[in-house]
Amino acid sequence: MPIFRPEEPMSLHSDLPTQRHKLGDCELVWDADRNVLELYVSGHVIWDTVPGEPFICASLGASDVEESRGFFSIKDDKLPYTSAQSIESFEVDGEGVKLSGQLSGSVQVPWSLTIRQIDDAQISLTAQVSLPDGEPRLLLRYASTSDEQFFGFGEQFTHLNLKGRRLDIISQEPGIGRGVQPLSWFMNTFFGAGGGETSSNAPAPHYITSRCRSLALENHELSRFDLREEDRIEVELWSNTMCARVFIGSNPKTLIEAYTRLSGRMPMLPSWIQSGAVIGMQGGTEAVRSMAKRLQDAGAPVAAFWLQDWVGARRTSVGSQLWWNWELDAERYPDWEKLRGELEANGSRVMSYINPFLVDVAERETAPKRNLYQEALEKGFLVTRQDGSPYLVQNTSFSAAMIDLTHPEARTWLKEVIKKQVIGAGVSGWMADFGEALPFDAKLYDGSDAAIFHNAYPEAWAQLNREAIEEAGLGGEVVFFARSGFTRSPGQSTLFWLGDQLTSWTAEDGIRSAVTGLLSSGFSGFSLNHSDIGGYTTTAIPGFPLKIPLLDFRRSRELLWRWIELNAFTAVFRTHEGNQPDRNTQIDTDPEMIAHFARFARVYAALAPVRERLNRESTEQGLPVVRHPWLSFPEDPETSKLRWQFNLGPLMVAPVLDPGASEVQIYLPAGQWQHLWSDAVVDSAGGWYEVAAPMGTPAVFFPKDDADMADLVDQLNRNGDRTEALNLPAPRLVVPQPRGGVL
C-alpha cells in the first residue's frame, strides 16, 4: 500500500451534480455518478482522479534532514493523512475553475484546486490547503493504469521506467554503487555515500508516460512521487501550495516540447566542441604537450584539452584533488599562454574547472595571488549556519564553504571572478561542478528557507555561469558543463554531464547507467548530455596494494574500449582519467588503444552535421540529441519498452554493454536498415536481430535510403574507419526475448 494512504477508510463526498467546463481545447468534467474529476482533450483523458477517493489530502510533519558530503538522509515523522474530502463548490474563476471544500481526519482544514489553461499545451493545477503552524504536507492523488510506463524525473540512472518505484525529488550526490552489492552496503555503512536507486544530481518533478500523459511540479520544495500502486499516483509536497502543470500532446515529442516551455531549452553548442574529442587530463604543461603529440600522431581530432587541475592539486584521502580557489597555478602550468597558442594552432581549445565552493588556501606552500575564501568570508558572501558562522560542508578529508547565491553582491563578485580569472585565462569552457549540497538548516542572505532553495541552488549556479559568459560578450562561443540540476536547469545551462559513474559494467552505477541517464534526462529537457568516457569512480583503496574482491572497481581495457564506442554517438566526446588515474586504463595505455580512440574521435567528428541538426531541434523544441527510440517511432508498440539502445538522428545505436560480448541484440522498427560498418541491409517488419559486434564495431544501423547517411558512409570510407574487411555475418532475426534489452 502507498505510504501516503491514511489510516482511516478514505471517502470523497459531494452533493454537486455532474459539471462540465471548457478550458480552451480542454474540458474539465466532474462526474457525480462515479465521483471522479477528469480532464479531456479531444476525447483523450490527460488527467483523472481515482474514482471515489480523495484527490487532495493534508498532514503535518516533523522532518529531520541531514547533509553529509552532498548526500541527504531524510526522515519525516508526520500525522496520518486526512481520510475524507468534501467538494462543496465548483466555481468559474476568471478563465479557470476553482473547486473547494473541506478535508477531515487527522486535521480539519479547507482545501481548493484551481484549474486554468496556460496555453494550447499546458493546464495549471494549483492545490492549496490551509494548515496550522507546522511543517505542511500536501498530497495529490490521481489515476494510473497497471501497464502505464513512466519516463523522465530528470536524470535517473538505474531505472528507465519508474512505474513501481518511489522517488524523493531532491538534488544530491547519487552515490557510489547505488545498489551494487556489497559495495553500496560498505559505502553506506562507513561513509554514508552508497546512494540509492533513484538518487540523482539532476532530478526533476516531471514525467511522461506511455499513455502520452505528462505532469510536472513548478515547486522547489521536496516532493515525493509514489508510483508503486497499479491504479494511482500519489505526489507528496512539503508545502501548503502545489503548483502543477498537465501537458497536452499526442506523442512524446509534443509532450517534451510542451514541458520545455516550463523548463527552458538549451542553446546551440559552439561548433568547435563538435570538431573532435575533449581530452580530460592533468599533470601540467609538459604532460599536455606530450599527450597532444601522441594524439596528433594517432590522427585523433581534438576539440579541447580539459585541464581540471589548472588551479593546482593536493593530496587528500581519496587521492589527488583540486585547490578550490579559482586562479591559475603558474607553477603547474608554466608557459600557459604559449601552451594555449600551440594547442590553438593545431585546432584545440583549453577548458578548465570551477565549482561554487571555496577553500581557505592559506595553508598552500605557494601563496596564491588571492584567497577567495577569505575575501568571501570578510564580505559576508558565504552560506552560514544559524549563528552566522560559515557553514563548512565536508568533502573528503577537507571542508569547504558555499557561495550564497541569494546574495546579489556575492553573485556579482563571483561572476567577476569567472570573467577575470577563468575566462580571462583564455579558456573556452569549463566544468561547473557540484551545486547539490546546500544543507536544509543553512541560513541564507535573503531570508529564503534553505530547505526550499536547496533545489533552486543548482538552477541559480547554472544561471550565474551563463550570465558570466553573456556579460563577457562570449555567448554561443564559451560552454560550461554542469552535473547538478532541477526543473529549470535546461534553460540556464549550456551542457550537462551525467556525474560520476562507477568504472564498471553495472546497470546501477556503470556503463549501463550512463545509457539510462542519457535516455531518462532527455525526456525532461536535458537535451545536451554526455558521460565521462570510461566512468569516473574507482574504488580501490589508495596505498593498499591488494584488490578486495567485490569492493574493488577499476577501469578495465575492455570497458574503456566499449565506452569509447558508446560516447562517439552522444552529444560530446569527452574523456576523464578518473579519480585514481594510475589504477585505470587510459586512452594512451598502448598503441592499439590510442588508435581505437582516434578512430572513434574521427567517427564523432564525422557526425557533426547530424548533431548540429539535432541540437537545433533541442533549441527550438526541447528535443534531446540522444533520443529514446519511442520518440522517433511512437506508433511501434515495442519501442516504448526498449532499454539499451537509442537514436542519434536517423542512426539506431545498440552499444555493447557486457564484458566479453561479441554480439548484441537490437530492435529494428519496420523498414530497410543498413549496417553502418558494412553493406548489410535488413528488411525489417519490426523485430529483434542478433548482430555481430566485435571490438570496435558497435551495432549501428540507419535507414537505407537516407541521403545524409550516404554522405556519412562516404566520409568514413575516406577516413578508413569502416570495417567491411571483417566479413561480419549478416544480422539474424531472433525470437523476441532480448537479453536485458527491454524494461
Side-chain angles (χ1 to χ4, degrees):
M1 296 175 66
I3 194 170
F4 306 135
R5 184 165 291 178
E7 294 179 357
E8 299 296 325
M10 293 184 289
S11 65
L12 176 64
H13 173 74
S14 177
D15 293 328
L16 296 175
T18 295
Q19 310 270 332
R20 294 180 180 272
H21 295 277
K22 291 289 290 183
L23 299 170
D25 295 332
C26 185
E27 184 178 36
L28 175 65
V29 177
W30 163 248
D31 187 331
D33 295 330
R34 297 166 51 229
N35 265 15
V36 64
L37 189 66
E38 298 171 310
L39 277 169
Y40 284 92
V41 174
S42 301
H44 173 61
V45 178
I46 61 172
W47 184 84
D48 58 334
T49 63
V50 179
E53 295 192 15
F55 49 86
I56 292 178
C57 302
S59 179
L60 287 170
S63 64
D64 180 12
V65 181
E66 296 183 359
E67 183 276 337
S68 175
R69 296 179 171 86
F71 298 87
F72 287 80
S73 171
I74 302 170
K75 299 177 183 178
D76 189 25
D77 183 13
K78 60 176 173 283
L79 295 172
Y81 268 100
T82 53
S83 56
Q85 178 184 13
S86 65
I87 304 176
E88 298 171 3
S89 68
F90 209 108
E91 305 171 3
V92 177
D93 178 23
E95 296 181 356
V97 174
K98 182 177 181 180
L99 293 80
S100 59
Q102 295 289 320
L103 303 177
S104 58
S106 57
V107 293
Q108 312 290 319
V109 294
W111 67 271
S112 67
L113 177 66
T114 303
I115 304 174
R116 287 192 173 94
Q117 182 181 32
I118 298 174
D119 57 29
D120 63 330
Q122 300 182 88
I123 302 293
S124 72
L125 307 180
T126 304
Q128 292 183 298
V129 294
S130 299
L131 285 163
D133 291 341
E135 294 186 37
R137 303 290 183 262
L138 190 157
L139 177 73
L140 183 66
R141 177 185 294 115
Y142 50 101
S144 179
T145 59
S146 60
D147 60 347
E148 192 168 17
Q149 301 167 67
F150 284 73
F151 309 114
F153 292 105
E155 287 180 358
Q156 293 295 321
F157 300 104
T158 302
H159 306 287
L160 190 58
N161 174 15
L162 277 300
K163 181 73 170 182
R165 312 290 171 183
R166 178 174 175 265
L167 302 87
D168 285 347
I169 307 298
I170 174 175
S171 177
Q172 63 175 320
E173 289 278 359
I176 299 172
R178 306 182 70 257
V180 178
Q181 300 298 357
L183 178 63
S184 287
W185 170 85
F186 179 83
M187 297 304 299
N188 276 324
T189 300
F190 296 101
F191 304 101
E197 64 179 12
T198 59
S199 51
S200 172
N201 304 109
H206 160 258
Y207 62 77
I208 292 173
T209 83
S210 56
R211 295 177 63 197
C212 284
R213 311 211 306 180
S214 181
L215 178 142
L217 302 186
E218 299 180 53
N219 301 75
H220 287 97
E221 294 95 336
L222 177 69
S223 60
R224 292 174 152 175
F225 283 72
D226 194 331
L227 313 177
R228 292 178 294 181
E229 290 287 285
E230 291 186 349
D231 68 339
R232 70 193 61 212
I233 304 156
E234 294 182 335
V235 184
E236 180 186 71
L237 183 72
W238 289 19
S239 174
N240 274 307
T241 302
M242 179 184 293
C243 299
R245 297 194 190 187
V246 174
F247 301 101
I248 302 169
S250 59
N251 59 62
K253 281 186 178 180
T254 57
L255 288 172
I256 292 173
E257 191 276 337
Y259 168 70
T260 53
R261 299 183 193 184
L262 167 64
S263 69
R265 294 170 184 158
M266 303 191 67
M268 294 292 293
L269 285 172
S271 59
W272 62 262
I273 203 171
Q274 300 284 303
S275 65
V278 176
I279 306 299
M281 64 171 299
Q282 304 180 67
T285 297
E286 291 308 315
V288 175
R289 284 174 171 154
S290 176
M291 176 64 85
K293 178 65 165 57
R294 291 196 297 279
L295 289 166
Q296 184 178 19
D297 291 346
V302 176
F305 283 85
W306 169 52
L307 309 176
Q308 67 180 86
D309 67 338
W310 74 292
V311 292
R314 58 174 169 171
R315 301 301 299 178
T316 69
S317 60
V318 300
S320 177
Q321 289 185 274
L322 309 179
W323 283 105
W324 293 350
N325 187 65
W326 314 121
E327 175 182 297
L328 174 67
D329 184 344
E331 289 188 350
R332 181 169 286 245
Y333 284 97
D335 298 326
W336 174 262
E337 294 298 327
K338 184 178 180 181
L339 173 64
R340 280 184 46 236
E342 292 168 0
L343 296 175
E344 289 173 4
N346 287 321
S348 302
R349 306 281 186 112
V350 173
M351 303 180 75
S352 63
Y353 172 99
I354 60 174
N355 67 50
F357 287 103
L358 296 172
V359 297
D360 190 347
V361 291
E363 63 189 60
R364 286 191 73 167
E365 293 181 3
T366 302
K369 295 178 182 177
R370 298 174 68 181
N371 186 330
L372 297 178
Y373 171 86
Q374 285 295 336
E375 288 184 31
L377 178 63
E378 292 167 6
K379 294 175 183 291
F381 291 168
L382 301 176
V383 171
T384 69
R385 294 185 178 275
Q386 293 300 320
D387 63 6
S389 62
Y391 206 130
L392 297 179
V393 175
Q394 185 75 23
N395 185 263
T396 54
S397 53
F398 68 91
S399 297
M402 298 181 75
I403 298 293
D404 186 343
L405 297 185
T406 73
H407 195 316
E409 293 179 22
R411 290 178 53 84
T412 299
W413 175 81
L414 185 53
K415 283 191 287 185
E416 289 303 311
V417 170
I418 293 173
K419 287 186 283 187
K420 292 179 180 178
Q421 299 192 182
V422 184
I423 297 175
V427 303
S428 295
W430 55 85
M431 173 186 281
D433 204 1
F434 294 115
E436 310 94 335
L438 180 67
F440 276 39
D441 60 347
K443 182 179 180 181
L444 299 174
Y445 172 81
D446 72 348
S448 296
D449 185 343
I452 299 174
F453 192 68
H454 172 88
N455 282 330
Y457 195 100
E459 298 172 343
W461 171 228
Q463 182 181 25
L464 185 145
N465 283 268
R466 184 80 169 269
E467 288 176 357
I469 293 170
E470 299 293 340
E471 291 172 13
L474 295 171
E477 185 62 18
V478 171
V479 60
F480 67 92
F481 50 107
R483 74 169 191 174
S484 66
F486 203 66
T487 302
R488 293 170 178 82
S489 293
Q492 305 294 350
S493 302
T494 61
L495 177 65
F496 292 97
W497 103 100
L498 294 167
D500 303 339
Q501 277 74 52
L502 196 64
T503 52
S504 78
W505 298 91
T506 60
E508 298 89 345
D509 193 24
I511 188 172
R512 285 181 176 270
S513 72
V515 175
T516 303
L518 283 173
L519 297 179
S520 65
S521 63
F523 283 104
S524 291
F526 296 78
S527 57
L528 296 168
N529 211 340
H530 70 295
S531 68
D532 297 330
I533 295 175
Y536 169 80
T537 305
T538 294
T539 58
I541 300 174
F544 192 76
L546 300 177
K547 290 187 177 183
I548 301 177
L550 302 179
L551 294 179
D552 193 307
F553 289 87
R554 313 179 192 209
R555 183 191 297 161
S556 70
R557 189 176 188 278
E558 184 185 6
L559 178 67
L560 178 59
W561 192 283
R562 291 303 196 182
W563 215 313
I564 288 169
E565 296 171 5
L566 162 64
N567 276 26
F569 297 93
T570 64
V572 171
F573 190 61
R574 181 182 57 82
T575 70
H576 200 308
E577 294 178 317
N579 64 323
Q580 298 185 46
D582 293 343
R583 294 171 180 258
N584 286 329
T585 303
Q586 303 293 349
I587 61 169
D588 60 341
T589 291
D590 57 61
E592 188 179 21
M593 178 63 79
I594 200 168
H596 172 68
F597 177 80
R599 175 182 167 227
F600 275 89
R602 293 191 296 270
V603 170
Y604 171 82
L607 286 164
V610 175
R611 291 192 305 275
E612 183 178 5
R613 289 192 296 274
L614 296 171
N615 193 172
R616 195 164 303 282
E617 291 182 4
S618 72
T619 299
E620 296 173 355
Q621 300 170 261
L623 299 175
V625 169
V626 171
R627 299 179 184 176
H628 191 281
W630 183 46
L631 273 64
S632 302
F633 302 93
E635 302 303 321
D636 187 322
E638 192 73 15
T639 56
S640 68
K641 306 171 189 175
L642 299 178
R643 179 75 185 272
W644 306 117
Q645 62 186 80
F646 57 85
N647 286 119
L648 182 72
L651 296 167
M652 184 72 79
V653 183
V656 178
L657 304 173
D658 294 307
S662 59
E663 56 187 23
V664 68
Q665 290 185 359
I666 186 171
Y667 180 80
L668 296 176
Q672 286 192 313
W673 294 86
Q674 182 171 331
H675 189 231
L676 180 62
W677 312 111
S678 70
D679 293 325
V681 174
V682 175
D683 192 358
S684 177
W688 286 94
Y689 290 84
E690 192 88 53
V691 181
M695 297 282 279
T697 315
V700 183
F701 289 82
F702 60 86
K704 180 178 182 297
D705 296 327
D706 190 303
D708 291 334
M709 292 298 97
D711 292 340
L712 172 65
V713 169
D714 287 343
Q715 183 170 347
L716 295 179
N717 283 335
R718 289 194 300 272
N719 294 342
D721 293 326
R722 292 181 79 218
T723 57
E724 296 96 331
L726 289 177
N727 275 332
L728 297 176
R732 181 173 59 87
L733 184 66
V734 295
V735 176
Q737 293 179 337
R739 295 190 295 269
V742 295
L743 297 169

